[in-house]
Amino acid sequence: MFVLFLFACSPGALAQEQKKSAPGLASIRQYISAGWDNLTRSMTDCASVVDPKMKVNPVIYLPAGFAAPVAVEKLHTACNVDIEHLPKPIHQLGEIDTNTIHPHGLLYLENKYVVPGGRFNEMYGWDSYFIILGLLRDGRTDLARGMVENFFFEIENYGALLNANRTYYLTRSQPPFLSSMVLAVYDAEKHAGHADPAWLARAYSYLEKDYSMWTRDPHLAGATSLARYYDFGEGPPAEGLQDEGGFYRKVVSYFMVHPDQADHYLVEQDLVHPDLVKQDIAKQERGQSAAALGSSYGITVCDISTTMAHPECEPKHVVRLSADYYKGDRSMRESGFDISFRFGAYGSATHHYAPVCLNSLLYKTETDMDQISVSVGKASEAKTWRARAEARKGRMQQYLWDGDHGFFFDYDFTSGRKSSYRYLTTYYPLWAGLATPEQAAAVVKNLPVFEQPGGLAMSPENSGAQWDYPYGWAPVELLAIQGLRRYGYNSEADRLSYKFLSTVIENFQRDGTIREKYNVVTRSSESQVTVGYQENVVGFGWTNGAFLELLHALPKDKAESLAP
């Protein structure tokens, strides 16, 4: 009966009912409005503990020493959920080896929260910023504020704002949008006549701690003083092994066929001594646990048989993916762009780059903290935040800006070279306000690199991965378009908003759902991903939020013309 209830309330079923009764834009607005409730989870709800990514009995983990609330204790009986405590207090990421947590489970949060949908049945880091924007646009301020409070709880009890509230995410964060979330909620309450400066002052210390994680090792990108993505875990992540069947086998196969991109990511295992590998590059892996080393894969090279004769084959070789590959894979997941080939094949070198997106977000955090410090009576600290922002801006101009091509590129600090991978994050500096007018103009001239019939593609590179061509993603569409508006390119912003919004609407009319991504070349929600995750999840929290924001900013006549 529990499964039937979830199906009956699914976004698709709900949307089909709404579609019959609501004309024009009203039906999609109703879908989004109802979706906030359908996607809301809490620690009083059996639906919250279900994890489609893991085949384990549900467990809720509380912080060490944290008294179990009555509502959580009730879940033990009502939902057959085990209640456990983490083995020790956590002050920052990296203090706990998630390979030692058996089974994995849901991390307790105090307030209700909105999940993305489908296999993502927990509160995610950067998803939540776009969800919160949508909640505020729909007047759901209390729910939005509660989600920000949950991030405060994570920072205080789990060491950081997490990728999401599952135990296997205790090794990494996600792109830092927390200051933007705080100001969005504060400004919405202020606009409604309920400004809460005490809450903003309380937020300040959590923002400081969240920021500090990105500005110290190991999140520093070499000698650039910029930041990088970095997951503290080792080996394949648990959810990657259970939920992404055959993924790492495909990675090995790709590197075998493309040895020019394999670098040191494949290491050969000694068949006589299986716990050892032959290359010196893999010495660091000796002594690691089997979980950290990952699986082994057999490679056999044979002649192509053209007759009935048995083909000749070379002796079998056994290989593993290296520790450095897994570090890059995990760090790619922290970036949120999983998967793109932007940081090497399968994101394998993510932790070797100072990314445009991350450093733009940290610049935005620094300018936000300048503003907040004045508002909460810490004016003496505002100067420090301004100096940090100016220093980061200068380093980004030095390392990330390519004036010859008119792009902000990621910087490989291990080789000392800018990437040449054209990516939609080149518009993040416009959104954050750090680009000069001349840089903004140059970046805008490159819109044709990304612009398609249905909006902006993430890149012109057809890698087969979902975060590359031909896919467009609502959150980055929104940031790019808001960046254009910030620098006065409103006609371009209107055109792109209309393209993407109409794509979402047309697909909603066909199947009554909103998806996590869209093929902006064919203007469809059909997903033909060949590298990595293939599902196009229904829900979908951040698309809902970005849709409302884009629609709100569109001139009235253009918005009305969207209605069929």
Side-chain angles (χ1 to χ4, degrees):
M1 291 180 65
F2 175 58
V3 173
L4 290 174
F5 174 77
L6 285 179
F7 176 77
C9 294
S10 69
L14 189 59
Q16 293 293 351
E17 289 299 313
Q18 293 166 347
K19 187 179 173 185
K20 296 175 184 177
S21 60
L25 283 175
S27 59
I28 197 167
R29 289 297 306 268
Q30 288 178 13
Y31 173 94
I32 292 171
S33 179
W36 300 134
D37 291 324
N38 188 61
L39 296 171
T40 295
R41 303 288 182 265
S42 74
M43 299 299 154
T44 63
D45 180 10
C46 294
S48 300
V49 298
V50 176
D51 187 356
K53 297 184 296 304
M54 302 291 284
K55 299 177 179 63
V56 296
N57 292 327
V59 182
I60 292 179
Y61 284 90
L62 299 161
F66 192 90
V70 173
V72 172
E73 291 180 336
K74 288 181 178 179
L75 286 181
H76 174 66
T77 302
C79 313
N80 193 28
V81 176
D82 291 334
I83 311 300
E84 302 286 351
H85 283 83
L86 292 173
K88 64 179 182 179
I90 303 173
H91 304 98
Q92 60 186 31
L93 292 181
E95 290 184 347
I96 197 165
D97 180 359
T98 58
N99 288 323
T100 64
I101 299 177
H102 301 289
H104 283 294
L106 185 72
L107 293 169
Y108 172 79
L109 295 174
E110 292 183 310
N111 302 302
K112 294 180 179 180
Y113 52 90
V114 177
V115 302
R119 63 194 284 265
F120 305 110
N121 194 38
E122 46 274 320
M123 189 179 83
Y124 281 79
W126 75 312
D127 291 65
S128 293
Y129 171 61
F130 303 95
I131 289 170
I132 284 169
L133 292 180
L135 291 172
L136 295 175
R137 192 61 64 191
D138 266 352
R140 307 291 296 271
T141 307
D142 289 345
L143 182 52
R145 176 165 164 161
M147 291 177 68
V148 177
E149 292 275 355
N150 281 340
F151 286 126
F152 296 167
F153 186 88
E154 285 187 355
I155 291 169
E156 185 170 349
N157 292 281
Y158 305 129
L161 184 159
L162 299 177
N163 186 153
N165 60 315
R166 298 281 180 187
T167 52
Y168 46 81
Y169 290 138
L170 280 167
T171 60
R172 63 179 178 267
S173 185
Q174 274 209 315
F177 281 94
L178 185 57
S179 67
S180 297
M181 296 186 220
V182 167
L183 284 176
V185 170
Y186 178 78
D187 289 342
E189 292 184 335
K190 184 178 179 180
H191 182 74
H194 306 296
D196 190 349
W199 183 77
L200 191 62
R202 178 169 167 261
Y204 188 87
S205 62
Y206 292 111
L207 289 168
E208 278 189 309
K209 185 172 181 181
D210 180 60
Y211 171 82
S212 69
M213 183 196 73
W214 298 102
T215 54
R216 64 173 183 264
D217 280 331
H219 273 101
L220 291 178
T224 65
S225 295
L226 295 171
R228 64 169 174 169
Y229 295 113
Y230 185 90
D231 184 305
F232 286 85
E234 303 293 339
E239 77 281 7
L241 292 175
Q242 290 214 26
D243 185 46
E244 300 156 21
F247 173 69
Y248 293 114
R249 182 179 66 250
K250 293 175 183 176
V251 176
V252 170
S253 177
Y254 181 90
F255 284 143
M256 292 299 298
V257 176
H258 301 86
D260 57 314
Q261 299 178 47
D263 196 13
H264 56 279
Y265 300 128
L266 285 182
V267 291
E268 187 176 0
Q269 186 172 323
D270 190 324
L271 292 177
V272 178
H273 304 287
D275 58 326
L276 301 179
V277 289
K278 292 183 178 179
Q279 286 93 329
D280 289 339
I281 191 70
K283 286 181 179 178
Q284 58 181 309
E285 301 178 11
R286 299 180 183 181
Q288 287 188 349
S289 67
L293 285 172
S295 299
S296 299
Y297 302 90
I299 306 293
T300 304
V301 179
C302 299
D303 294 330
I304 296 176
S305 179
T306 58
T307 68
M308 295 296 292
H310 188 74
E312 295 293 327
C313 298
E314 291 300 305
K316 179 180 179 180
H317 294 266
V318 177
V319 299
R320 295 181 186 271
L321 289 163
S322 70
D324 195 56
Y325 165 78
Y326 285 121
K327 184 63 73 175
D329 173 71
R330 285 173 164 272
S331 301
M332 171 193 66
R333 296 164 191 265
E334 181 172 78
S335 80
F337 296 104
D338 47 342
I339 300 167
S340 163
F341 276 38
R342 166 191 175 197
F343 299 122
Y346 286 89
S348 50
T350 301
H351 56 311
H352 296 157
Y353 282 85
V356 173
C357 50
L358 174 56
N359 287 284
S360 296
L361 292 173
L362 290 172
Y363 175 86
K364 172 68 160 52
T365 298
E366 289 154 352
T367 57
D368 287 347
M369 291 297 280
D370 174 12
Q371 173 188 339
I372 294 171
S373 61
V374 173
S375 299
V376 301
K378 296 179 179 288
S380 61
E381 298 183 19
K383 183 178 179 180
T384 299
W385 288 110
R386 283 195 295 272
R388 288 170 176 165
E390 284 302 309
R392 186 174 303 278
K393 179 179 178 179
R395 292 190 292 271
M396 291 180 70
Q397 301 288 0
Q398 176 186 353
Y399 290 107
L400 310 183
W401 173 245
D402 186 330
D404 292 337
H405 296 91
F407 279 91
F408 285 94
F409 285 121
D410 306 311
Y411 180 76
D412 183 346
F413 63 87
T414 63
S415 67
R417 293 194 301 267
K418 289 186 183 71
S419 171
S420 60
Y421 205 92
R422 295 168 295 173
Y423 210 65
L424 197 55
T425 51
T426 193
Y427 294 92
Y428 272 53
L430 278 65
W431 176 79
L434 67 89
T436 67
E438 294 76 20
Q439 288 170 339
V443 170
V444 170
K445 285 183 180 179
N446 280 315
L447 276 173
V449 172
F450 305 101
E451 187 170 354
Q452 301 293 335
L456 294 167
M458 288 303 302
S459 81
E461 307 298 333
N462 192 358
S463 68
Q466 66 172 358
W467 280 97
D468 279 320
Y469 180 93
Y471 299 105
W473 292 75
V476 189
E477 300 277 331
L478 176 63
L479 296 181
I481 289 169
Q482 288 182 334
L484 295 174
R485 292 199 188 282
R486 182 166 189 163
Y487 283 79
Y489 295 96
N490 290 304
S491 62
E492 291 84 353
D494 292 345
R495 181 181 74 246
L496 294 166
S497 294
Y498 189 93
K499 283 186 171 187
F500 187 73
L501 289 170
S502 61
T503 296
V504 176
I505 291 169
E506 288 171 14
N507 283 273
F508 177 78
Q509 291 171 334
R510 282 194 289 269
D511 66 14
T513 65
I514 292 180
R515 304 284 180 147
E516 67 170 347
K517 59 181 175 285
Y518 291 86
N519 183 323
V520 292
V521 176
T522 62
R523 291 176 57 85
S524 76
S525 60
E526 295 178 359
S527 175
Q528 296 181 342
V529 175
T530 59
V531 172
Y533 327 131
Q534 300 178 3
E535 187 178 1
N536 196 358
V537 180
V538 172
F540 190 81
W542 69 12
T543 313
N544 299 348
F547 183 94
L548 295 181
E549 284 295 290
L550 289 170
L551 185 64
H552 177 78
L554 202 61
K556 185 178 179 182
D557 61 323
K558 293 184 181 297
E560 290 176 348
S561 69
L562 284 166

